[in-house]
Short mmCIF file of all heavy atoms in Angstrom, two decimals:
data_model
loop_
_atom_site.label_atom_id
_atom_site.label_comp_id
_atom_site.label_asym_id
_atom_site.label_seq_id
_atom_site.Cartn_x
_atom_site.Cartn_y
_atom_site.Cartn_z
N GLY S 1 67.40 94.77 112.82
CA GLY S 1 68.73 95.34 112.96
C GLY S 1 69.74 94.61 112.12
O GLY S 1 70.70 95.27 111.53
N ALA S 2 69.71 93.30 112.01
CA ALA S 2 70.61 92.51 111.13
C ALA S 2 70.50 92.95 109.73
O ALA S 2 71.49 93.25 109.01
CB ALA S 2 70.38 91.05 111.27
N ILE S 3 69.31 93.01 109.12
CA ILE S 3 69.09 93.47 107.78
C ILE S 3 69.61 94.99 107.60
O ILE S 3 70.26 95.34 106.62
CB ILE S 3 67.64 93.39 107.33
CG1 ILE S 3 67.25 91.85 107.30
CG2 ILE S 3 67.35 93.95 105.99
CD1 ILE S 3 68.09 91.07 106.24
N GLY S 4 69.26 95.75 108.58
CA GLY S 4 69.64 97.16 108.45
C GLY S 4 71.12 97.37 108.54
O GLY S 4 71.66 98.30 107.95
N SER S 5 71.79 96.49 109.31
CA SER S 5 73.26 96.69 109.51
C SER S 5 74.11 96.03 108.50
O SER S 5 75.16 96.56 108.04
CB SER S 5 73.67 96.11 110.84
OG SER S 5 73.03 96.87 111.99
N TYR S 6 73.75 94.89 108.04
CA TYR S 6 74.52 94.03 107.12
C TYR S 6 74.04 93.84 105.71
O TYR S 6 74.98 93.48 104.75
CB TYR S 6 74.72 92.58 107.80
CG TYR S 6 75.24 92.62 109.18
CD1 TYR S 6 74.58 92.02 110.23
CD2 TYR S 6 76.44 93.32 109.49
CE1 TYR S 6 75.06 92.04 111.49
CE2 TYR S 6 76.87 93.35 110.77
CZ TYR S 6 76.23 92.79 111.75
OH TYR S 6 76.66 92.78 113.06
N LYS S 7 72.81 94.13 105.44
CA LYS S 7 72.31 93.88 103.98
C LYS S 7 72.11 95.29 103.41
O LYS S 7 72.55 95.66 102.38
CB LYS S 7 71.11 93.13 104.02
CG LYS S 7 70.62 92.69 102.58
CD LYS S 7 69.61 93.71 102.07
CE LYS S 7 69.14 93.34 100.73
NZ LYS S 7 68.10 94.32 100.16
N ASN S 8 71.33 96.23 104.07
CA ASN S 8 70.94 97.42 103.50
C ASN S 8 72.08 98.40 103.13
O ASN S 8 72.08 98.95 102.04
CB ASN S 8 69.98 98.27 104.41
CG ASN S 8 68.58 97.66 104.47
OD1 ASN S 8 68.29 96.70 103.72
ND2 ASN S 8 67.73 98.16 105.22
N PRO S 9 73.08 98.57 103.95
CA PRO S 9 74.22 99.47 103.57
C PRO S 9 74.89 99.03 102.29
O PRO S 9 75.17 99.91 101.45
CB PRO S 9 75.18 99.40 104.70
CG PRO S 9 74.34 99.03 105.92
CD PRO S 9 73.29 98.10 105.36
N GLN S 10 75.00 97.76 102.01
CA GLN S 10 75.57 97.26 100.80
C GLN S 10 74.68 97.38 99.57
O GLN S 10 75.11 97.29 98.45
CB GLN S 10 76.09 95.83 100.97
CG GLN S 10 77.19 95.75 102.03
CD GLN S 10 77.82 94.42 102.04
OE1 GLN S 10 78.50 94.06 101.12
NE2 GLN S 10 77.58 93.60 103.08
N SER S 11 73.39 97.66 99.78
CA SER S 11 72.45 97.85 98.71
C SER S 11 72.66 99.19 98.18
O SER S 11 72.18 99.52 97.09
CB SER S 11 71.05 97.60 99.26
OG SER S 11 70.84 96.36 99.75
N HIS S 12 73.14 100.15 98.99
CA HIS S 12 73.20 101.56 98.56
C HIS S 12 74.67 102.14 98.33
O HIS S 12 74.76 103.21 97.73
CB HIS S 12 72.59 102.40 99.63
CG HIS S 12 71.21 101.93 100.06
ND1 HIS S 12 70.07 101.80 99.18
CD2 HIS S 12 70.68 101.42 101.26
CE1 HIS S 12 69.04 101.32 99.78
NE2 HIS S 12 69.39 101.04 101.07
N ARG S 13 75.65 101.44 98.85
CA ARG S 13 76.96 101.93 98.65
C ARG S 13 78.01 100.78 98.75
O ARG S 13 77.61 99.66 99.22
CB ARG S 13 77.35 103.08 99.66
CG ARG S 13 77.35 102.46 101.12
CD ARG S 13 77.73 103.58 102.12
NE ARG S 13 77.93 103.13 103.48
CZ ARG S 13 76.94 102.93 104.30
NH1 ARG S 13 75.71 103.17 103.97
NH2 ARG S 13 77.31 102.49 105.56
N ASN S 14 79.27 101.04 98.31
CA ASN S 14 80.25 99.99 98.52
C ASN S 14 80.71 99.87 99.95
O ASN S 14 81.10 100.87 100.54
CB ASN S 14 81.43 100.38 97.60
CG ASN S 14 81.18 100.21 96.17
OD1 ASN S 14 80.37 99.42 95.74
ND2 ASN S 14 81.78 101.06 95.28
N VAL S 15 80.57 98.73 100.45
CA VAL S 15 81.06 98.47 101.93
C VAL S 15 82.19 97.46 101.80
O VAL S 15 81.86 96.34 101.34
CB VAL S 15 79.85 97.91 102.72
CG1 VAL S 15 80.32 97.65 104.16
CG2 VAL S 15 78.72 99.00 102.83
N SER S 16 83.29 97.88 102.31
CA SER S 16 84.51 96.98 102.25
C SER S 16 84.60 96.16 103.48
O SER S 16 84.60 96.66 104.54
CB SER S 16 85.71 97.80 101.94
OG SER S 16 86.90 96.88 101.90
N ILE S 17 84.66 94.86 103.33
CA ILE S 17 84.94 93.89 104.45
C ILE S 17 86.26 93.14 104.15
O ILE S 17 86.27 92.31 103.16
CB ILE S 17 83.75 92.91 104.66
CG1 ILE S 17 82.48 93.61 104.97
CG2 ILE S 17 84.11 91.92 105.82
CD1 ILE S 17 81.23 92.68 105.01
N VAL S 18 87.21 93.38 104.83
CA VAL S 18 88.58 92.87 104.50
C VAL S 18 88.97 91.83 105.54
O VAL S 18 89.88 91.07 105.21
CB VAL S 18 89.64 93.99 104.51
CG1 VAL S 18 89.36 94.93 103.32
CG2 VAL S 18 89.82 94.73 105.75
N ASP S 19 88.36 91.74 106.69
CA ASP S 19 88.74 90.83 107.72
C ASP S 19 87.80 89.50 107.50
O ASP S 19 86.62 89.57 107.67
CB ASP S 19 88.49 91.43 109.09
CG ASP S 19 88.87 90.48 110.19
OD1 ASP S 19 89.27 89.30 109.93
OD2 ASP S 19 88.88 90.90 111.47
N PRO S 20 88.38 88.37 107.15
CA PRO S 20 87.63 87.18 107.02
C PRO S 20 86.90 86.72 108.27
O PRO S 20 85.80 86.15 108.24
CB PRO S 20 88.73 86.19 106.53
CG PRO S 20 90.01 86.66 106.96
CD PRO S 20 89.89 88.20 107.00
N THR S 21 87.54 86.99 109.37
CA THR S 21 86.93 86.52 110.68
C THR S 21 85.60 87.42 110.96
O THR S 21 84.61 86.84 111.36
CB THR S 21 87.85 86.83 111.86
OG1 THR S 21 89.06 86.07 111.69
CG2 THR S 21 87.20 86.37 113.24
N GLU S 22 85.67 88.63 110.59
CA GLU S 22 84.45 89.48 110.72
C GLU S 22 83.34 88.89 109.74
O GLU S 22 82.18 88.85 110.12
CB GLU S 22 84.73 90.92 110.32
CG GLU S 22 83.64 91.96 110.51
CD GLU S 22 84.03 93.27 110.16
OE1 GLU S 22 85.02 93.46 109.47
OE2 GLU S 22 83.22 94.30 110.44
N ALA S 23 83.70 88.60 108.59
CA ALA S 23 82.80 88.05 107.61
C ALA S 23 82.22 86.84 108.07
O ALA S 23 81.02 86.47 107.99
CB ALA S 23 83.51 87.78 106.23
N VAL S 24 83.07 85.91 108.64
CA VAL S 24 82.54 84.64 109.23
C VAL S 24 81.44 84.85 110.24
O VAL S 24 80.45 84.21 110.26
CB VAL S 24 83.69 83.76 109.73
CG1 VAL S 24 83.16 82.56 110.57
CG2 VAL S 24 84.56 83.25 108.66
N GLU S 25 81.72 85.80 111.13
CA GLU S 25 80.81 86.04 112.20
C GLU S 25 79.40 86.49 111.59
O GLU S 25 78.40 86.15 112.10
CB GLU S 25 81.39 87.08 113.18
CG GLU S 25 82.65 86.62 113.91
CD GLU S 25 83.33 87.75 114.62
OE1 GLU S 25 82.98 88.85 114.33
OE2 GLU S 25 84.24 87.49 115.50
N MET S 26 79.45 87.33 110.61
CA MET S 26 78.27 87.93 110.04
C MET S 26 77.49 86.74 109.30
O MET S 26 76.33 86.59 109.35
CB MET S 26 78.56 88.99 108.95
CG MET S 26 79.20 90.19 109.69
SD MET S 26 79.70 91.46 108.39
CE MET S 26 80.46 92.73 109.28
N ILE S 27 78.21 85.94 108.56
CA ILE S 27 77.58 84.87 107.72
C ILE S 27 76.98 83.79 108.73
O ILE S 27 75.84 83.29 108.49
CB ILE S 27 78.58 84.25 106.88
CG1 ILE S 27 79.06 85.14 105.75
CG2 ILE S 27 77.99 82.88 106.30
CD1 ILE S 27 80.22 84.72 104.98
N ILE S 28 77.56 83.50 109.85
CA ILE S 28 77.05 82.62 110.85
C ILE S 28 75.78 83.11 111.45
O ILE S 28 74.70 82.46 111.62
CB ILE S 28 78.05 82.23 111.91
CG1 ILE S 28 79.14 81.32 111.33
CG2 ILE S 28 77.42 81.54 113.07
CD1 ILE S 28 80.28 80.99 112.25
N LEU S 29 75.77 84.43 111.67
CA LEU S 29 74.53 85.10 112.15
C LEU S 29 73.41 84.96 111.15
O LEU S 29 72.26 84.71 111.43
CB LEU S 29 74.80 86.54 112.44
CG LEU S 29 73.60 87.42 112.83
CD1 LEU S 29 72.92 86.93 114.11
CD2 LEU S 29 73.93 88.91 112.93
N ALA S 30 73.76 85.18 109.87
CA ALA S 30 72.67 85.12 108.76
C ALA S 30 72.21 83.69 108.76
O ALA S 30 70.95 83.49 108.64
CB ALA S 30 73.33 85.57 107.49
N SER S 31 73.02 82.76 108.90
CA SER S 31 72.66 81.32 108.82
C SER S 31 71.65 81.01 110.00
O SER S 31 70.71 80.38 109.79
CB SER S 31 73.90 80.41 108.91
OG SER S 31 73.53 79.09 108.87
N HIS S 32 72.06 81.49 111.16
CA HIS S 32 71.11 81.34 112.31
C HIS S 32 69.80 81.90 112.12
O HIS S 32 68.74 81.32 112.44
CB HIS S 32 71.81 81.86 113.60
CG HIS S 32 70.95 81.81 114.77
ND1 HIS S 32 70.56 80.68 115.42
CD2 HIS S 32 70.42 82.87 115.50
CE1 HIS S 32 69.79 80.98 116.46
NE2 HIS S 32 69.67 82.27 116.51
N LEU S 33 69.71 83.15 111.56
CA LEU S 33 68.49 83.74 111.37
C LEU S 33 67.67 83.02 110.33
O LEU S 33 66.40 82.98 110.43
CB LEU S 33 68.66 85.23 110.95
CG LEU S 33 69.31 86.14 111.93
CD1 LEU S 33 69.52 87.60 111.41
CD2 LEU S 33 68.59 86.18 113.30
N LEU S 34 68.33 82.54 109.30
CA LEU S 34 67.56 81.87 108.18
C LEU S 34 66.97 80.56 108.77
O LEU S 34 65.88 80.13 108.31
CB LEU S 34 68.50 81.49 106.99
CG LEU S 34 67.79 81.03 105.72
CD1 LEU S 34 66.71 81.95 105.29
CD2 LEU S 34 68.77 80.86 104.64
N LYS S 35 67.66 79.99 109.70
CA LYS S 35 67.12 78.73 110.36
C LYS S 35 65.86 79.05 111.14
O LYS S 35 64.95 78.24 111.23
CB LYS S 35 68.19 78.02 111.14
CG LYS S 35 69.31 77.43 110.38
CD LYS S 35 70.42 76.87 111.19
CE LYS S 35 71.51 76.26 110.36
NZ LYS S 35 72.58 75.76 111.19
#
């Protein structure tokens, strides 16, 4: 779900993220999954 929601869409189209707080939440999730 994480890859499908946050990585795959940006592989196929432009996805705009303008809220830094939203980006922080996503990046922290990615960090947790990588660990």
Side-chain angles (χ1 to χ4, degrees):
I3 292 296
S5 296
Y6 303 126
K7 189 266 179 182
N8 284 359
Q10 296 192 69
S11 300
H12 309 300
R13 65 179 187 275
N14 291 328
V15 177
S16 178
I17 301 174
V18 297
D19 183 355
T21 301
E22 184 180 16
V24 167
E25 293 169 350
M26 296 176 185
I27 291 168
I28 289 177
L29 172 60
S31 182
H32 173 66
L33 295 181
L34 190 52
K35 290 176 182 177

